[in-house]
Structures are given as C-alpha cells and as structure tokens.
Amino acid sequence: MANKIRGRGVIAGVALGRIRLAGQNIDGYLAKYQPEAVEVEVEKASDALIAVAEAMRERIVRLQEQKMMAQAAIIEAQRLMVQDPMMAENIAGKVAEIGNAPEGVMEAAESQARVFEDMQDDYFSARATDLRDVGKRIAKYILGVKEPEIGSGKVILCGQEVEPSVIAEIPTEKIAGVLLGSGSTTCHAVIIAKARAIPTIAGLGDKIDGIRNGDYVIMDGGRGDILVRPSQQEIDDYLARMRRQVELASRYQALRELPAKTKDGHRVNIMANIGTHMDVDTAIKTYGAEGVGLFRSEFLFMGHKDIPDEEEQFRAYRGAVEKCQGRPCIIRTMDIGGDKPLPYLHVPPENNPFLGWRAVRISLQRRDIFMPQLKAILRAGLYGDVSIMVPMIINVEELQQVRDMVEEAKVELAHEGQAYYDTVPIGVMVETPAAAIMSPILAKYADFFSIGTNDLIQYTLAVDRTNATISSLYDPFHPAVLRLVKNTIQSARDNDIWVGMCGEMASDPYAAILLVAMGIDEVSMSAPWIPRVKEMIRSVTLHDAKDALARVMKMEDGHVIRKYLRKRFPGNNL
Ligand code: PEP
Ligand code: MG
C-alpha cells in the first residue's frame, strides 16, 4: 500500500509520474568554486547578468510562439529584475565586498528578497521567490550548473516552492503535476500551472519531506490526495480514472463552439477573466470564450516600477480589444490595494487593507493615475466593443464622479486631437454589500452590473478571502450571498440593464444553474473553467433551474444547498 498524504487541491486533475524535486541544491558547487581576482569576479557577475537576460529573452519568444502567454509574462517580469540597474548595482557591490561572484549574486538577491518578504503579503512573497529564483539562475550560470535532464516519462515537480523559471522551462507535456509545500495559491508556480491546466496540490508543509526524488506518485489535484509509491492495484485504479479524464477533455473540446444555452433555449454569454491582453487568444480559441468579462487592468500597473503611461496602457487595451474581434471586452479600472498593493503608490500602512484605500477610492483621489487610464480605454474603444467597469463602488456619488472624470477625459482627448469612442458604457462592479443592497438605485445610474463575488463574499460573511484558516467559512452558497446576488440581478432586470458575474462563483457549475435561473446575462471566469460551466448549463432546462432556485432560496444553510444541488443535478461527473 502506498503512503497517503493530503494537501489542498488547487488545480483539479489526476496525474501519475516520478517526483522531480525542484529547487536544485547548488551548495556543493558553491563550496568547490575557486574565486579569481575581485575585478574578474565582478566582471563574471556582470557578464552573467547579460547572458541570463538574453537566455530569458529567447525563452520568452519561444513561450510566446507556443502561446504560453502566462509563463512568458512571468519570465518577462524576471527578465526585468535581471536588467534592473539597482539589481546590477547591488550585485556588483556585494561581489566586490566578498570577492566571490556566485555567492555575491545569491546574497544580493537574498537581501532584496528579504525586504519583500518582510512586507508579509502574498503578492510580495511571490516577488521574493522570483528574486531568489533569479539569483540562483545567475549563480548557476557562473558555476556552469545545468538543469538535470528529464527522461522519457512525465515528472511531478515537488518542492516547498517551485521556482517559476524551473516550471516555465519544462515543456508542458513533461509535467504531470505540481506538489507544493507552501500554501500560497497566488504564487507564480500556481499561476503557470493554472494557465497550463497542470494538476496542483499546495499547502503540504512538512509532509513534503516524506517524498523523495524519483518516487512514483499518484496525485488528485481536485481532492488534494497524494499516493506515494502506490501498489499495482492503485496504479490500475488510477489508469481507469485517467481514461475518464481524457474522455472529459474531448467532451469539453466538442463544446467549444457551442453556446451556453439551456435545453429549452435560454442563452447566457460565457466569457473569460484575463490579466493581460496575451490571455485573450487562448481564452477564445482553446476554451470558446465569447469575449472578456473582466480585464484586470491592475496587472499592467503591478509589473512596473512606475505608473504605466497612457500610451502603454492604450497599447495593452487595444491589443486585448482587437484580439476579441468585435466580442465584448470589459476593462476594469485599476483595482490596487487590498491583496494587490503597489509599492510606488506609497500607501501608508493600514490596519485593514481590504477596507482601506483601494480601487476606485484611489482612482478618484489620484487624477494623475486615473485620467491616463480612462483616456487609454476611451481610445481603445475605437477598436471593438469596450466597456469600463469600476471596482469597489459603494454609493451613487462615486459612480457619478467617475462619469464626470470620463467626460473630462474626453475633453482632454479632443483638445489633444486624439480620436476616441464617445459612448463607452460604464458599469459598476457589485462587490460590496452596499452596492448589492443599493442595486435598485445604482441600476438607474449604471450601464451594466458585474457581480464580483470574490470580494462580495468576503465582505458579506466577514471572511478574509486570503486566510486559509477560515476558508471553509468562505461559502458562495451561503444564503446571505445568494440573496444579495439575486437582488442585484433582479435590480438589473427591473431597470433593463445588463448583468453579469465575474467572481469565481461563476465558475462553479452548480452556482451557474442558480445564476441562470435568477436571470443573469453573462458569466465570466478563468478560461479553463468555461467548458465545465457550459456543459452544466446545456444539461438543464430553465424551468428546472428555476424550480431548484425556488427551493434553494428557502434553505437555511450553504452546505444543505450544495448537497441538494449535487443530488438534483448529478451526471456531470464534476
Ligand atoms: C471579485 O472581487 O469578485 C473580482 C472579480 O475581482 P478581484 O478578484 O480581482 O478582486
Ligand atoms: Mg474584487
């Protein structure tokens, strides 16, 4: 019998493969390294920076050619770190101080990483991992250490943290799965795995120490179960499940061109959430997205040392809009703050960042940031079906202020002789209980609603969305959440405006049944989730969905609701 361990299933799918421990130890190489004269060591470090940046550039081009845009963006962010003059200066200083190129590089990267880590925030921890990764890469170049070859079989990458460059370097077809000791689901390894749909389990902590390099492992990324050194019977069971998984994938492929329409002909739009314009093609061509329901524009701001200017933003928005080829593209204005801080904004420390200076609150006070963004979106409006969506609205006044600023942006563009689209719709992201409760009023001022349940749930239930300890309380099916969602949809219907959902709840097929019954127009989600939701919508009638909704709205508990829906709508093998 195999040794069984359990972590947190992050990306669904079963996989079988040999363990490849990530985070290659280079201590032995460092110990054997013979430094030369200090000037030679400094020069070696500086040459290594150039060579590694060039290797990364080539890697980025290859990834882009293979349409692996998320990985390309991550390696690009690392390349910017390698080319950062401050990084070069720190490295040169450290190497000159200790007279050893690889150790100097590692120490310089480590001290910069610690600064990020001390901020005690998921986003910055991910940057700290990147910095260490970059440092190690440069040191390996100097030491002449090569990544070990992967043999003919598939590997399951395993480590406390898997370095982004390691996972991005290995072709998708060679990675069966990822096992992580760390609990972060926003780290770059997870983002890459998600974009490639690689089964992933996180939060294994010390349990990872029981897994050795070369161990045979079966993992279930949905349940979080891992079998280390399985028996033949366990392998046979696994192979049977794999066959079912392959069948499911081909079923999903067949759904790509089909509409999200119930059996009795009620249709909703199904769109994708994206972080960069480079995600659009995969969303449409691979998963059948009918447009972009949420373009998280803040990623443009986060990959930078300073506020991206209007031109740069315009190019990114236009890129996404053009790739949508006439399909809708909803651009959310910058949603910085909360779990997405921005160092160059110098936000003073806050006790409750999620309740603090974030999103539209920053935009309305920082004209220097908001105006270029609005102007860039209005200009991109000439290239397709663009909408502006405003995050974290809590009252009518904020929306009106945004509208006023949009008008001012138009005046500025006209003075500058810049062409723009005059009637870009302006919608409210309903992600605070205030907005949901006030939706009958807000609907009179907004051109559309999109319900952001990721935040709406955390604010409604007072459950921090990033706190793993209380994650079982974070429940989209909690009756309070369902009531707010239903009210919001009803307000939109009453006022003849369009309403969608762009929070993760939309990617739950059972939630989708309820949303369709409530009268939602659109659901938007991470692209790989589209086929599952589409399949569920196509398997029910509107009549059935409405009947289920009526019953669910009388229930008192989220668990009971989920159980009821699973029982009533089986057969999807989800
Ligand atoms: C949301 O809050 O539901 C949402 C989609 O936005 P984000 O996850 O970026 O806060
Ligand atoms: Mg949000």
Side-chain angles (χ1 to χ4, degrees), residues 294 296 298 332 335 339-340 354 358-359 391-392 429-432 451-456 458-459 465 502-503:
L294 168 65
R296 288 187 162 98
E298 57 278 3
R332 172 175 73 185
D335 185 18
D339 61 339
K340 290 171 278 195
F354 273 117
R358 58 170 298 200
M392 277 294 287
M429 197 163 169
V430 178
E431 56 180 344
T432 63
I451 307 172
T453 48
N454 303 344
D455 279 314
L456 184 62
Q458 78 160 343
Y459 294 133
R465 64 192 260 187
C502 57

Side-chain angles (χ1 to χ4, degrees), residues 140-190:
K140 281 201 295 206
Y141 178 86
I142 300 169
L143 294 165
V145 179
K146 299 257 180 309
E147 283 296 330
E149 291 284 318
I150 296 179
S152 53
K154 285 191 169 199
V155 294
I156 293 184
L157 289 176
C158 171
Q160 272 307 332
E161 279 173 349
V162 172
E163 293 142 345
S165 67
V166 170
I167 181 167
E169 286 292 331
I170 305 176
T172 309
E173 63 278 8
K174 291 265 182 190
I175 308 178
V178 176
L179 302 178
L180 293 168
S182 97
S184 168
T185 52
T186 49
C187 69
H188 275 150
V190 173

Side-chain angles (χ1 to χ4, degrees), residues 24 26 37 81 90 208 220 237 326 352 368 386-387 412 530:
Q24 199 184 5
I26 58 170
M81 287 178 178
N90 287 347
I208 223 159
D220 183 333
D237 291 349
N352 291 301
D368 58 319
V386 174
S387 299
E412 282 189 17
I530 289 177

Side-chain angles (χ1 to χ4, degrees), residues 242-262:
M242 272 301 278
R243 276 193 291 278
R244 286 202 295 277
Q245 196 166 295
V246 169
E247 275 163 30
L248 199 64
S250 73
R251 228 161 74 200
Y252 285 169
Q253 175 71 13
L255 280 168
R256 208 182 45 190
E257 306 294 335
L258 299 174
K261 193 153 94 180
T262 61

Side-chain angles (χ1 to χ4, degrees), residues 81-340:
M81 287 178 178
V82 175
Q83 293 200 315
D84 180 353
M86 207 168 90
M87 175 95 163
E89 209 174 288
N90 287 347
I91 287 178
K94 202 71 201 168
V95 175
E97 184 192 322
I98 63 172
N100 180 316
E103 278 187 14
V105 167
M106 300 271 286
E107 282 185 28
E110 179 60 32
S111 68
Q112 255 180 281
R114 266 199 231 117
V115 174
F116 279 124
E117 215 159 52
D118 287 346
M119 298 182 191
Q120 303 212 329
D121 167 285
D122 259 11
Y123 172 74
F124 286 112
S125 313
R127 302 294 82 72
T129 311
D130 276 330
L131 271 165
R132 291 198 177 98
D133 187 10
V134 160
K136 198 162 165 189
R137 244 186 112 124
I138 302 167
K140 281 201 295 206
Y141 178 86
I142 300 169
L143 294 165
V145 179
K146 299 257 180 309
E147 283 296 330
E149 291 284 318
I150 296 179
S152 53
K154 285 191 169 199
V155 294
I156 293 184
L157 289 176
C158 171
Q160 272 307 332
E161 279 173 349
V162 172
E163 293 142 345
S165 67
V166 170
I167 181 167
E169 286 292 331
I170 305 176
T172 309
E173 63 278 8
K174 291 265 182 190
I175 308 178
V178 176
L179 302 178
L180 293 168
S182 97
S184 168
T185 52
T186 49
C187 69
H188 275 150
V190 173
I191 293 173
I192 294 180
K194 206 165 185 178
R196 295 188 187 181
I198 300 171
T200 299
I201 297 174
L204 287 163
D206 295 345
K207 289 180 234 164
I208 223 159
D209 298 340
I211 305 175
R212 296 187 302 251
N213 208 28
D215 270 349
Y216 221 42
V217 156
I218 294 176
M219 59 175 283
D220 183 333
R223 297 186 195 166
D225 291 336
I226 303 160
L227 296 179
V228 188
R229 301 178 283 278
S231 66
Q232 190 54 48
Q233 180 59 47
E234 286 165 328
I235 293 177
D236 290 347
D237 291 349
Y238 155 82
L239 290 173
R241 279 168 67 195
M242 272 301 278
R243 276 193 291 278
R244 286 202 295 277
Q245 196 166 295
V246 169
E247 275 163 30
L248 199 64
S250 73
R251 228 161 74 200
Y252 285 169
Q253 175 71 13
L255 280 168
R256 208 182 45 190
E257 306 294 335
L258 299 174
K261 193 153 94 180
T262 61
K263 285 207 274 196
D264 46 355
H266 178 80
R267 190 181 165 155
V268 295
N269 279 328
I270 195 155
M271 312 227 262
N273 295 348
I274 61 165
T276 97
H277 63 94
M278 296 180 291
D279 301 336
V280 180
D281 280 344
T282 315
I284 294 175
K285 294 185 185 139
T286 310
Y287 298 106
E290 294 171 315
V292 168
L294 168 65
F295 180 164
R296 288 187 162 98
S297 70
E298 57 278 3
F299 286 116
L300 261 173
F301 290 70
M302 283 158 65
H304 271 254
K305 283 196 291 193
D306 215 336
I307 302 164
D309 65 15
E310 179 188 320
E311 247 353 271
E312 184 172 353
Q313 290 190 59
F314 167 64
R315 281 198 298 275
Y317 303 147
R318 177 182 165 173
V321 174
E322 284 184 333
K323 286 184 178 139
C324 282
Q325 297 182 325
R327 298 174 185 88
C329 183
I330 301 176
I331 302 173
R332 172 175 73 185
T333 60
M334 185 198 84
D335 185 18
I336 290 299
D339 61 339
K340 290 171 278 195

